[in-house]
Amino acid sequence: MNKRMKWYAALACIGIAGISALAYIQSTKGAPAIEVSAYADPEAKPAAAGELKFMPDRADAVPGMQLAAQSDALGLYFSPETTEIAVLNRSSGKVWRSNPIDMGSDAKASPFEKDRLAAQVTINYRDSIGTLGSITNFTDSIKREQFKAEGIENGIRITYTIGDTSLGIDALPKLISKKRMEEKIYSKLDEATAKYVSNRYFPLEDNPEVLERLDTAVSRALVLNRMLDAFAKAGYTPEDLAADNQENGLSAEAGSNRPNFTIPIEYRIVEDSLQIRVPVSEIKESKGYQIRTVELLDFFGAAGTEEKGYMLVPDGSGSLIELNNGKISEEVYAQRVYGEDENNNSRRRGQISEAARLPVFGMKSGDEAWFATIENGESIASINADISGRKNSYNYAYASFAIRGEDELELYKGNKVDEIQMLTEKAFQGDLQIRYNFLSGGDANYSGMAKLYREKLIKESVLKPKEASGSAALPFYLDVLGAVDKRKSFLGIPYKGLMPMTTVKQAGEIAKQLETAGVSNIQMRYVGWFNEGIDHKVPKNVNMDGELGSKNELKQLAEQLKATGGGLYPDVAFQHVLRDNRDFKPASDAARFVTREQAMLAPINRALNAMDLSLGSLYLLSPAKLPYFVDQFIDDYDSYGLDAVSLRDMGDSLQADYRVNRVVFRDVAKNIVTEQLGKLEKSYPNMLLTGGNAYALQYADQLINVPMASSGFSIADQEIPFYEMVLHGYKDYAGSAMNLDDNQDLTYHLLRSVEYGAAPHFFWSYESSSKLKFTSYESLFSTHYTDWLQDAASLYGKVNNALAGLQSSAIEEHIQHQPGVVQVRYDNGTSVYVNYTDKPATVDGVQIGAKNFLVGGDNQ
């Protein structure tokens, strides 16, 4: 081959490589990403701090503490020695303390637990080799007097340095020249002391003129103290240490071999509440140590063994944990706000539970109560609660915050699997903020807490009162299954095809039959209508599935429902990418696990209790790509001429993205999601959301799949409709579809709907659900509408008669008179009595039949 041919061949290879590289880039180039930093909460400027000055307090309301701030409602007290705080409720005289007053005499608590009882913050961390540890501000800051208290507007700022910040062995030079050792140390010590020092430094093998510290001999406490004394006696200074380290190519940082952290906490009295803030951007970590979680005020308002009451936790619709209930053999309560982050690489299913939709918790003790709302950082928060008798003698509830993403990496070594705990290098940089409110007398219960939280949401314009209309019918929520995937074959060749379960015209027929049966105000959610069915392609384009009907027919269905007081809500999923197609590039568009894998999930195989890819799969969309797909959807969906939409996942789940060069923490993802919800609401004022997490409430016109039960954790004692008590009178809502519930007893669902003030909700198909057999949709085992229509209409009639006139009324009080017998009192004077038991019950002279309900009150 001549030279020219060789050059042509080389150029051809280069061209092919270039074309291949370009093709690869184009095939993996995804949607445009937003600038994530623009959605992070802006770093608040540090509060102007100065000398802490105390106020005169003639009443001496909290002995041993001094008054630091006050309002007409509250007084904030502070102990300069222990940094404990206390809040005085001026109206009742009740004092709530950050730490139990008698904690030192707790016979149940171990020495470590007593340190926790005395702490205001606990930091859980990981070192450079993956070892997990925990450190409190009491043992490693207060006892060491490593804190600074300053005055801020209406409060206090305390900056804790937590950990051993002394140099320890690193105060001695690791390497030092013989000449410097003679000049700086030996020449200034007596002979015996100089020999003692010299016996612990040896010449380097490759450079005898330099001495190396023998750490195995020096690290013992007695030896180290004697060595430190010798160097101090010789006048060896930090400047000398820095010079020796520099000369020998080393650097020494104070406390670099020990965990130590700097963390500020601010306490403010804001009118009738205590506000606690931690600016995470001001937290400092020692080299080699990373903070996993921060626990705040674990024992604020803790109740002792003799106190009566309960703790409120936001499990599902709400749960109460009775104080001192004796369930020390049960698991402690711990739940992440807004549910678990799906963005983890665990192939196993954890505990099945309801999500905590609201970032709140509280405690009632006697005739007093406190109620906490997590205002900032709630999306990375967990709520924890435990009873007395397990580790100490107190009942307590608190919030913890995961400021880094965390996951496990599995390493396979033959038949052995090692799990390595991994954290993101980057940490969340926003604020953590909790607000505590205080209640007394008749308001000191979960009904009072619900009212307080509802009023907060009203003030923030999250909730707006529904218009009063005594004649308006209760909504009837109906999910209609459009099309699903089903394996088909052509000439013996298998392929995935689309199987219609309910066409647009059939959906209209179901609506007509419901109206004939007496059901009105049908709010229809049409699921699986575009982009290839229920597991639709990413909604960049909106192409209606022709097997179901046309755009014009869809608009006619919307008009048909609207004419009878209802509405049509075509459903779309944004955060879960349910089907591969060229508009979605997993390498670019999918979120990433902490382990750097693409966030791909699969349904749970019940037999294996683990993900099973044979059942299908989905990707989690990176929150950074969500705005692009929402914009694309709006551009296409506008052509349908509809003013309503159903969002399958944006009010139900929240996920992070741990891509190394673009970390999106869940709290930042929340900001991205809420902006998109606002954008969609502006385009489609009638919006139906599933789940109903707190950040989405402002944008929902209708809510379904709201929690109608708790998880039933063994430590809890009673489930309550706290979620519904907050929303009733301000939002229309329903629980999950009754016909798909594990409990198929419609009498139970009737009673639960009446108690919780919820509308009926069903999930139907026109075709028989037997067609779903041997598909990925067998969980929709009971959707054939003819099996349910008459029973559903009968149930709707009863619930509508009970609740239609109460739609604009708030729930004032919920009372359990005895197990299975409850009273729900509305602010218009109406009471609804519900009896779940098999026997008639009498409440205040009102008799309620077995498994029945009764509506009565001042206006009946």
Side-chain angles (χ1 to χ4, degrees):
M1 183 181 293
N2 58 36
K3 281 188 176 182
R4 180 175 295 181
M5 292 298 292
K6 288 181 179 179
W7 274 107
Y8 286 156
L11 289 172
C13 290
I14 293 170
I16 292 170
I19 292 170
S20 299
L22 182 62
Y24 175 78
I25 292 171
Q26 290 299 318
S27 67
T28 58
K29 182 181 179 181
I34 57 164
E35 179 57 51
V36 173
S37 61
Y39 291 83
D41 289 326
E43 293 183 14
K45 294 181 180 179
E51 181 184 354
L52 177 57
K53 298 179 180 179
F54 296 107
M55 302 177 176
D57 181 34
R58 296 176 183 175
D60 194 23
V62 186
M65 291 191 179
Q66 300 185 60
L67 182 61
Q70 64 180 336
S71 66
D72 292 341
L74 304 175
L76 174 63
Y77 289 78
F78 178 67
S79 168
E81 291 77 29
T82 66
T83 74
E84 294 175 58
I85 65 155
V87 179
L88 170 66
N89 185 342
R90 296 188 183 281
S91 64
S92 67
K94 172 69 176 179
V95 174
W96 296 101
R97 296 175 176 270
S98 60
N99 306 84
I101 191 171
D102 54 352
M103 58 189 167
S105 59
D106 184 0
K108 183 70 180 177
S110 65
F112 171 77
E113 195 64 24
K114 285 184 178 178
D115 285 349
R116 276 193 70 219
L117 287 168
Q120 292 81 46
V121 60
T122 299
I123 290 176
N124 300 299
Y125 63 87
R126 192 196 73 162
D127 66 15
S128 58
I129 62 172
T131 304
L132 306 182
S134 181
I135 194 168
T136 72
N137 73 315
F138 178 73
T139 306
D140 290 284
S141 180
I142 298 169
K143 276 187 174 181
R144 297 175 184 273
E145 298 184 353
Q146 297 173 175
F147 63 88
K148 179 181 181 182
E150 300 172 283
I152 58 176
E153 185 179 5
N154 298 324
I156 314 164
R157 177 187 176 100
I158 310 167
T159 303
Y160 296 101
T161 300
I162 307 175
D164 184 358
T165 60
S166 64
L167 282 173
I169 195 173
D170 289 326
L172 307 173
K174 176 67 176 175
L175 299 173
I176 184 171
S177 67
K178 279 186 177 181
K179 181 180 179 182
R180 289 265 303 169
M181 179 67 90
E182 181 64 39
E183 292 177 354
K184 293 291 182 179
I185 307 299
Y186 297 159
S187 64
K188 298 179 181 180
L189 298 175
D190 59 75
E191 184 178 348
T193 304
K195 185 175 181 181
Y196 186 86
V197 172
S198 68
N199 286 338
R200 284 148 184 86
Y201 276 87
F202 289 86
L204 291 175
E205 288 186 7
D206 57 348
N207 187 359
E209 293 304 310
V210 176
L211 302 176
E212 180 180 17
R213 186 182 69 215
L214 186 61
D215 288 355
T216 54
V218 176
S219 59
R220 288 175 293 176
L222 291 176
V223 177
L224 177 59
N225 288 336
R226 189 169 174 183
M227 290 285 287
L228 291 172
D229 287 344
F231 273 71
K233 185 177 180 181
Y236 191 78
T237 66
E239 291 74 19
D240 292 326
L241 177 64
D244 287 321
N245 286 332
Q246 184 175 8
E247 181 180 343
N248 293 283
L250 301 176
S251 64
E253 299 177 11
S256 61
N257 63 331
R258 298 178 182 84
N260 60 78
F261 310 94
T262 300
I263 180 169
I265 301 180
E266 297 174 359
Y267 302 99
R268 284 185 179 82
I269 295 296
V270 182
E271 297 177 350
D272 59 351
S273 64
L274 168 68
Q275 188 184 81
I276 299 159
R277 172 179 174 260
V278 174
V280 179
S281 59
E282 296 180 44
I283 293 177
K284 297 177 182 177
E285 303 166 319
S286 57
K287 185 177 181 180
Y289 294 88
Q290 294 177 309
I291 296 177
R292 300 167 57 228
T293 60
V294 175
E295 300 175 15
L296 287 179
L297 295 185
D298 291 15
F299 296 94
F300 182 87
T305 55
E306 302 301 318
E307 297 184 57
K308 303 294 182 183
Y310 49 74
M311 290 176 283
L312 165 73
V313 293
D315 172 25
S317 62
S319 277
L320 303 180
I321 302 172
E322 299 288 344
L323 303 183
N324 308 303
N325 65 15
K327 297 182 180 181
I328 57 174
S329 61
E330 307 297 344
E331 292 287 335
V332 302
Y333 172 82
Q335 217 174 5
R336 291 194 69 168
V337 177
Y338 304 144
E340 293 297 323
D341 187 353
E342 293 179 295
N343 189 5
N344 72 80
N345 71 348
S346 173
R347 299 292 184 255
R348 299 174 298 277
R349 176 168 60 183
Q351 190 174 43
I352 301 174
S353 62
E354 294 282 345
R357 302 287 184 189
L358 304 177
V360 300
F361 57 103
M363 180 183 292
K364 171 182 170 62
S365 178
D367 293 330
E368 302 287 337
W370 57 260
F371 178 71
T373 306
I374 307 174
E375 295 185 320
N376 289 330
E378 77 273 20
S379 305
I380 59 171
S382 293
I383 294 170
N384 312 271
D386 201 6
I387 54 169
S388 65
R390 190 192 310 271
K391 294 181 178 180
N392 54 62
S393 300
Y394 301 95
N395 306 269
Y396 55 100
Y398 65 95
S400 59
F401 300 85
I403 68 168
R404 277 188 168 85
E406 186 168 5
D407 214 334
E408 290 180 349
L409 178 65
E410 294 182 345
L411 297 178
Y412 292 85
K413 300 178 180 178
N415 60 355
K416 183 181 177 183
V417 180
D418 289 340
E419 292 183 345
I420 300 176
Q421 207 75 18
M422 294 186 67
L423 296 176
T424 56
E425 187 64 32
K426 293 182 180 178
F428 173 71
Q429 293 295 300
D431 282 357
L432 312 177
Q433 187 166 296
I434 308 175
R435 183 185 298 269
Y436 285 82
N437 287 89
F438 307 94
L439 306 100
S440 300
D443 292 327
N445 50 47
Y446 64 86
S447 296
M449 296 177 190
K451 181 180 179 181
L452 191 152
Y453 186 55
R454 180 172 64 242
E455 290 174 347
K456 172 182 170 64
L457 297 183
I458 294 170
K459 186 176 180 180
E460 295 171 350
S461 298
V462 173
L463 297 180
K464 296 179 181 179
K466 287 173 57 63
E467 294 182 8
S469 177
S471 60
L474 197 70
F476 181 91
Y477 291 100
L478 178 61
D479 295 350
V480 172
L481 178 60
V484 300
D485 293 332
K486 188 165 186 178
R487 187 174 293 275
K488 299 180 179 181
S489 65
F490 178 73
L491 298 177
I493 301 172
Y495 69 97
K496 185 183 287 187
L498 207 59
M499 180 173 67
M501 293 296 292
T502 313
T503 66
V504 177
K505 288 184 177 180
Q506 289 168 344
E509 177 60 28
I510 293 174
K512 288 178 181 178
Q513 291 187 40
L514 278 170
E515 292 160 16
T516 301
V519 177
S520 55
N521 195 1
I522 300 169
Q523 305 294 332
M524 183 182 290
R525 174 178 172 238
Y526 199 17
V527 182
W529 62 279
F530 80 110
N531 285 17
E532 300 184 30
I534 187 170
D535 290 343
H536 62 72
K537 295 185 292 188
V538 66
K540 180 179 179 181
N541 302 300
V542 184
N543 299 313
M544 185 164 181
D545 295 326
E547 295 90 336
L548 301 177
S550 65
K551 279 186 181 182
N552 190 50
E553 288 173 335
L554 192 68
K555 191 169 184 180
Q556 288 174 3
L557 176 59
E559 292 169 352
Q560 174 191 335
L561 292 166
K562 188 174 183 180
T564 57
L568 176 67
Y569 298 86
D571 181 72
V572 57
F574 282 103
Q575 297 184 119
H576 291 168
V577 181
L578 307 163
R579 185 188 297 269
D580 287 338
N581 76 304
R582 63 185 181 183
D583 290 328
F584 175 78
K585 307 295 193 299
S588 173
D589 296 331
R592 294 292 179 106
F593 299 141
V594 175
T595 56
R596 304 190 182 187
E597 303 164 274
Q598 294 170 13
M600 185 177 72
L601 308 176
I604 297 294
N605 184 318
R606 293 188 179 185
L608 303 174
N609 198 39
M611 290 185 192
D612 187 347
L613 288 171
S614 69
L615 300 177
S617 63
L618 62 87
Y619 287 98
L620 299 180
L621 180 70
S622 169
K625 302 300 183 81
L626 179 62
Y628 170 79
F629 287 108
V630 168
D631 289 342
Q632 296 296 308
F633 173 82
I634 291 174
D635 287 346
D636 256 27
Y637 186 62
D638 278 348
S639 67
Y640 285 75
L642 302 175
D643 64 353
V645 68
S646 163
L647 303 179
R648 193 184 308 179
D649 51 27
M650 284 176 66
D652 183 50
S653 61
L654 197 61
Q655 64 223 24
D657 180 5
Y658 298 120
R659 187 180 294 266
V660 173
N661 62 350
R662 191 187 63 224
V663 176
V664 186
F665 290 99
R666 282 226 303 179
D667 216 62
V668 177
K670 177 199 68 178
N671 296 337
I672 297 171
V673 169
T674 52
E675 182 189 73
Q676 305 317 302
L677 287 170
K679 189 187 301 179
L680 286 159
E681 183 200 33
K682 187 176 181 180
S683 298
Y684 315 110
N686 298 309
M687 200 150 70
L688 183 149
L689 300 182
T690 67
N693 288 337
Y695 58 82
L697 295 177
Q698 178 178 347
Y699 308 97
D701 181 54
Q702 313 277 345
L703 291 163
I704 60 170
N705 296 349
V706 304
M708 295 283 285
S710 69
S711 304
F713 294 134
S714 298
I715 195 173
D717 297 285
Q718 182 184 342
E719 77 182 9
I720 59 171
F722 185 86
Y723 185 94
E724 287 73 17
M725 294 167 72
V726 172
L727 294 191
H728 199 279
Y730 296 83
K731 297 288 181 183
D732 287 327
Y733 56 83
S736 58
M738 295 176 178
N739 57 306
L740 297 180
D741 195 87
D742 290 340
N743 186 345
Q744 294 280 286
D745 181 359
L746 284 185
T747 299
Y748 166 81
H749 288 293
L750 167 65
L751 299 179
R752 181 51 60 106
S753 294
V754 172
E755 180 189 357
Y756 279 50
H761 177 203
F762 289 85
F763 194 125
W764 290 347
S765 63
Y766 189 86
E767 300 293 339
S768 172
S769 48
S770 63
K771 288 190 172 185
L772 300 174
K773 197 172 183 180
F774 305 120
T775 72
S776 300
Y777 312 100
E778 288 186 330
S779 59
L780 305 176
F781 56 86
S782 184
T783 59
H784 195 198
Y785 84 101
T786 58
D787 297 337
W788 292 96
L789 193 143
Q790 292 304 319
D791 287 337
S794 174
L795 182 147
Y796 172 78
K798 295 173 183 177
V799 178
N800 187 51
N801 287 338
L803 301 178
L806 298 173
Q807 292 184 78
S808 61
S809 297
I811 296 177
E812 191 73 19
E813 189 174 18
H814 179 271
I815 309 164
Q816 178 175 268
H817 290 284
Q818 63 188 65
V821 180
V822 298
Q823 176 186 357
V824 184
R825 189 168 62 83
Y826 288 83
D827 62 0
N828 68 349
T830 300
S831 281
V832 176
Y833 301 87
V834 182
N835 179 10
Y836 290 91
T837 70
D838 296 326
K839 297 179 180 179
T842 302
V843 175
D844 297 333
V846 177
Q847 188 173 44
I848 313 105
K851 293 187 180 298
N852 211 333
F853 68 91
L854 184 69
V855 179
D858 299 340
N859 62 344
Q860 300 298 308

